[in-house]
Amino acid sequence: MKSIAALQNRVTPWSDGLEPSDAELDAIEWEMPLILADVDLLDAQIAVLDRAPSELDERRIRRARRRKLAARRTLLNQAAAAANMPGGAA
């Protein structure tokens, strides 16, 4: 009877592609303000799942939505500006 280890090639072949590339890490860093704004909105929404939202909760959710929209607008404007650069420079 052969023992099976998790990292043996027969079970889980090891791949060099498991780590994100530099381009993927740059994209994540570029989108980080939107990701953080989205997390803030989710936190505010999760806080009121099991109860009726108070006026303070509603303000917190509205602020989080505005921050998310502002972050999205900023990223879209940056992408549009980069697309309009001559020579495709970003």
Side-chain angles (χ1 to χ4, degrees):
M1 179 176 208
K2 295 182 180 180
S3 62
I4 299 175
L7 292 179
Q8 286 182 351
N9 284 337
R10 286 176 261 163
V11 177
T12 308
W14 186 257
S15 171
D16 291 335
L18 293 177
E19 296 294 324
S21 68
D22 289 340
E24 291 170 332
L25 290 173
D26 289 342
I28 292 169
E29 185 176 340
W30 183 70
E31 292 179 359
M32 191 54 68
L34 179 59
I35 293 169
L36 293 175
D38 202 17
V39 168
D40 287 343
L41 176 58
L42 287 171
D43 284 343
Q45 291 171 335
I46 289 170
V48 296
L49 280 178
D50 60 346
R51 59 184 166 85
S54 66
E55 184 178 334
L56 184 62
D57 293 327
E58 290 173 359
R59 278 192 250 159
R60 182 178 175 209
I61 291 171
R62 281 195 307 268
R63 271 194 317 269
R65 281 187 182 138
R66 285 194 303 265
R67 278 194 302 266
K68 181 178 176 179
L69 289 173
R72 182 180 292 165
R73 181 187 63 231
T74 301
L75 288 179
L76 289 174
N77 288 339
Q78 289 174 356
N84 291 331
M85 299 278 293

